[in-house]
Amino acid sequence: MTKGGSALFPALGPRLMRSLGTLAIVVLLGGFAAAALVRYGPGFCTDENAWNPQYSASSEEATRRRCEDENNLPQFYLRYLRGAVEGNFGTSKSYGVPVRELIESRVPITAGLVAFGVGGGVLLAGLFAWIAVWSRMPAVEAGVSGVVAVLLAVPPAVLALGFFLQEAPIQFAVSLTVLARIFGTVRTMLHDAYGSSPLLAARARGLGPIALGWRYVLRPLAPRILALFGVAVMIAFGALVPIEALCDVPGIGQLAWKAAVSRDLPLLSALSLIITFLVASIHSLGEVLAGRTSRDSEAAV
Amino acid sequence: MWKRLALIFLLLVGTSALLSPVIAPFSYSEQFRDSANAPPGGKFLLGTDDMGRDRLSRLLYATAVSAVLAPAAAALSVLLALLACAFPGLVVGGLTTICLSIPWIFLFIILRAELPLNTDPSISVLLTFALMGVAGWAGPARVFSGSIREMMESGWMLQARSAGIAGWRIGLVYAWPHLRSVALAQFRVLAPVYILAEASLGLLGLGVAEPMPSWGNLLRDLQHPDMVRQNPAILAPLLLLMLCLLAIEAVAVKTHEKEVFR
């Protein structure tokens, strides 16, 4: 047991420990920021019933006492964090329902959009970059780069609006947004890989393009491709709010926009905390897997 | 040639933006209520919006807001990143990781939601870009700390230190020219990012407040395809934004190629 345990930690390595530590700090700081924003946000502890003449003195007193309790930020933060861990983020001011319910019903829609957008974006970026590098024709490379530059110059929301108005799937807009932002990195990666000496030697030996691509491009690049997925997820989440808000997609992004417009800080803070946790987790996982795969690739070579 | 063309175009846009109070036919908020949604031509070269305001004048003022303040915000981010690198690497490294984990748009809309509803439009303009500048320091800070680490381990740095050259002199005479090119590259990356960010926020109604125009809030009319069909001049802000970004990209690519070649 002891042997297994001691073997496990060196295998996981300091990278995982560092990632978990960063994740914990992100969540703690994010939670604190969210709690502080809710606590000091406009309208905190104002009760619309205070102007109701039928409201009894004892109810007013109970509200006042509750506010006094919540005035202490550290205590408020600890309660907020405990609630967040249990999945209780309080009640939305604008919808009047628990924040958890609102989020749960919208997660599948956003998850589908992000998964399709990221998967499609990485695939398209790979394809475009491969065409640019493999063709070895300046005109083709300039053409592909030109298309990507135009895509990069269009705000993601306008791109999505175009798809929406043409009744085309909005997921493609997310994919194109991801493609435009990671194309440069993918092209550089492929350019370096296709120019490496082992690949050139294998090509001279007559190895086919598929075997070349698998052995000398995809396998050595696997860690960086994994890390790229983490970046792509962050890009997709960044584009989510305008795309969902303008194209009437009832996901997390649209919920965040509605919360911002109606100044629903409890909802907005909870959403930010969850998204930050998700993005930081994916980022950490990507880094850990990238490190692991890098060691495996080196061992294989 | 492309770089020269792009530079001339950017210079023209910048000049017309700065001279907008002089060359714009009308004020950005002046309303002609009997000419609402007027087509292009005659008195109004690009037509008017649904509140009867001249589209050309608003576009000129919007260019002044977006094309001048976005680079200013980028400069602020780069400056903050350079200042942050003065702190020990551990603090910068940890902080940048945390800041980069937070999707900026969520951070931004939460901060905007904290502002009072009656915030003055000119203050909202400054706040929008100042928040972008402050929130965007982490990316360049990570690049700078990497560059500084590389420099500290380089042969010439070891040689300079072993020769007994004072730290400030090494920093100012040897390290700064290298860092300056990295800072300029970061600036060139961030300026278009902030232009696009303002456009996204403006489309959502969370950026620059009306009646102050910006490229972002002018793009809101694109949500009404019937209006675009009646008056294609509504696409002018999008076209100008795209051309500016393409010109910046062309200049950045050519400058990068030149630096690599050097």
Side-chain angles (χ1 to χ4, degrees), chain A residues 89-160:
Chain A
F89 293 96
T91 304
S92 157
K93 258 166 69 179
S94 52
Y95 290 89
V97 292
V99 169
R100 185 182 175 162
E101 269 180 37
L102 285 170
I103 293 172
E104 271 176 355
S105 61
R106 288 162 184 257
V107 162
I109 296 164
T110 298
L113 194 63
V114 170
F116 189 96
V118 169
V122 173
L123 273 177
L124 280 175
L127 182 70
F128 274 47
W130 184 78
I131 291 170
V133 172
W134 186 256
S135 69
R136 293 180 177 190
M137 287 163 72
V140 174
E141 187 167 357
V144 172
S145 302
V147 171
V148 173
V150 171
L151 284 175
L152 202 57
V154 184
V158 174
L159 199 64

Side-chain angles (χ1 to χ4, degrees), chain A residues 12 15-17 19-20 283-293 295:
Chain A
L12 290 174
R15 192 184 285 263
L16 178 64
M17 292 299 154
S19 293
L20 286 176
H283 195 68
S284 302
L285 190 69
E287 278 191 355
V288 171
L289 285 176
R292 188 68 197 261
T293 322
R295 279 195 297 275

Side-chain angles (χ1 to χ4, degrees), chain B residues 97-121:
Chain B
T97 308
I98 291 163
C99 289
L100 287 172
S101 299
I102 303 168
W104 70 269
I105 197 155
F106 280 85
L107 180 76
F108 198 84
I109 59 177
I110 208 168
L111 291 171
R112 284 289 276 121
E114 286 274 328
L115 293 178
L117 282 169
N118 57 352
T119 305
D120 191 72

Side-chain angles (χ1 to χ4, degrees), chain A residues 33-251:
Chain A
L37 283 168
V38 173
R39 166 63 193 83
Y40 294 113
F44 178 78
C45 246
T46 48
D47 188 357
E48 58 196 37
N49 286 315
W51 290 277
N52 186 349
Q54 289 173 327
Y55 210 49
S56 71
S58 59
S59 302
E60 268 182 42
E61 180 59 24
T63 307
R64 194 185 58 76
R65 232 179 293 124
R66 184 173 54 84
C67 279
E68 274 175 10
D69 279 353
E70 290 178 343
N71 257 342
N72 186 330
L73 183 62
Q75 279 181 16
F76 181 76
Y77 169 56
L78 285 177
R79 261 203 303 274
Y80 186 87
L81 208 62
R82 202 166 46 225
V85 169
E86 290 164 3
N88 171 24
F89 293 96
T91 304
S92 157
K93 258 166 69 179
S94 52
Y95 290 89
V97 292
V99 169
R100 185 182 175 162
E101 269 180 37
L102 285 170
I103 293 172
E104 271 176 355
S105 61
R106 288 162 184 257
V107 162
I109 296 164
T110 298
L113 194 63
V114 170
F116 189 96
V118 169
V122 173
L123 273 177
L124 280 175
L127 182 70
F128 274 47
W130 184 78
I131 291 170
V133 172
W134 186 256
S135 69
R136 293 180 177 190
M137 287 163 72
V140 174
E141 187 167 357
V144 172
S145 302
V147 171
V148 173
V150 171
L151 284 175
L152 202 57
V154 184
V158 174
L159 199 64
L161 206 57
F163 275 80
F164 180 64
L165 295 175
Q166 296 300 317
E167 293 177 8
I170 290 150
Q171 290 90 327
F172 286 114
V174 184
S175 292
L176 292 178
T177 302
V178 172
L179 151 75
R181 279 146 188 83
I182 63 169
F183 170 76
T185 313
V186 179
R187 187 182 54 184
T188 308
M189 278 160 51
L190 288 188
H191 190 269
D192 291 349
Y194 275 103
S196 66
S197 312
L199 185 139
L200 292 175
R203 195 181 223 175
R205 286 201 307 271
L207 205 66
I210 295 174
L212 268 180
W214 173 246
R215 272 192 222 168
Y216 295 97
V217 180
L218 277 179
R219 275 180 69 184
L221 287 182
R224 292 175 70 186
I225 293 170
L226 279 173
L228 201 66
F229 268 98
V231 176
V233 168
M234 284 190 75
I235 293 166
F237 271 115
L240 213 59
V241 178
I243 288 177
E244 285 190 356
L246 291 175
C247 301
D248 202 21
V249 179

Side-chain angles (χ1 to χ4, degrees), chain B residues 28-56:
Chain B
Y28 63 83
S29 57
E30 193 176 346
Q31 286 179 280
F32 300 89
R33 294 182 186 204
D34 47 349
S35 307
N37 286 322
K43 193 174 167 187
F44 309 107
L45 275 179
L46 293 181
T48 59
D49 63 9
D50 51 358
M51 294 175 87
R53 296 173 299 192
D54 179 39
R55 285 190 187 277
L56 176 65

Side-chain angles (χ1 to χ4, degrees), chain B residues 214-252:
Chain B
S214 73
W215 282 347
N217 60 30
L218 291 186
L219 291 178
R220 295 189 80 177
D221 284 344
L222 295 178
Q223 291 176 60
H224 311 291
D226 295 339
M227 273 170 71
V228 180
R229 260 178 239 120
Q230 279 172 9
N231 180 8
I234 290 175
L235 291 168
L238 177 65
L239 201 66
L240 186 60
L241 182 149
M242 286 176 65
L243 285 173
C244 280
L245 292 180
L246 287 170
I248 294 172
E249 172 77 5
V251 173

